[in-house]
Structures are given as structure tokens and as C-alpha cells.
Amino acid sequence: MPPPNRRITLQSQIKKRSINLGGHKTSISMEDEFWEALRALARLNQESIQALMLRIDSEREGPNLSSALRLEVLKEARAGKLPEFSGN
């Protein structure tokens, strides 16, 4: 935990993007870092970001697509598939 007199600031901006997933238009709000990590994951999997998002959407159990996308990025980063986003 940082010292009490030190303020933590977030540099990230939440970006809202409209996308078409399987013929269904929706909008997703996520931080820039998650958008970048999703693009990296799509490249790694040799698929489009739309295909990746559609797969995650079809496999998710919860009602929130943005959360499912963030959790997928976290899972893949923890598995070592996204070393540029590991924080090390």
C-alpha cells in the first residue's frame, strides 16, 4: 500500500467502442490497456479482434461482456501468453 500522502493516479482512459458481433450491434467500454491487450491476443491467435470477442461472448457465463473480455485478458496474461502486459 502506498504511503498515505502519496496519491495514485490512473493514466488510462475508458474508451467506448461500437462493434458488430455476429450481426448484433453493441458498445463496449474498457480501458485502453485492455483494448491493446485484446488486439495482441487476437494477433497471437491469428484471428480478428471481432472473432476473438465473438468467441469470448459465446463462452461467457455472466451478463457483462466488458467484464468477460477483461477477465480473458487477465487469464491469458497470467498464463504467460501476453508477456508485454505482465507488468514485469
Side-chain angles (χ1 to χ4, degrees), residues 74-88:
L74 178 62
K75 178 184 86 172
E76 297 297 345
R78 284 181 170 167
K81 294 183 181 177
L82 294 168
E84 66 270 33
F85 298 97
S86 70
N88 294 329

Side-chain angles (χ1 to χ4, degrees), residues 7-88:
R7 187 172 187 198
I8 296 175
T9 59
L10 296 177
Q11 299 297 321
S12 182
Q13 295 284 326
I14 293 180
K15 298 286 171 102
K16 187 174 199 173
R17 291 185 170 89
S18 296
I19 61 166
N20 189 327
L21 287 181
H24 175 71
K25 289 185 179 182
T26 188
S27 62
I28 299 171
S29 298
M30 289 191 302
E31 297 78 4
D32 286 334
E33 290 83 358
F34 283 103
W35 286 113
E36 291 171 22
L38 277 174
R39 284 191 287 274
L41 188 56
R43 281 191 305 274
L44 181 68
N45 293 336
Q46 298 180 343
E47 61 186 338
S48 69
I49 194 166
Q50 288 84 4
L52 173 63
M53 294 170 88
L54 189 59
R55 180 175 53 79
I56 294 168
D57 186 35
S58 69
E59 295 171 356
R60 70 185 163 109
E61 295 180 12
N64 188 310
L65 179 56
S66 295
S67 292
L69 294 171
R70 286 184 185 95
L71 289 172
E72 182 71 14
V73 165
L74 178 62
K75 178 184 86 172
E76 297 297 345
R78 284 181 170 167
K81 294 183 181 177
L82 294 168
E84 66 270 33
F85 298 97
S86 70
N88 294 329

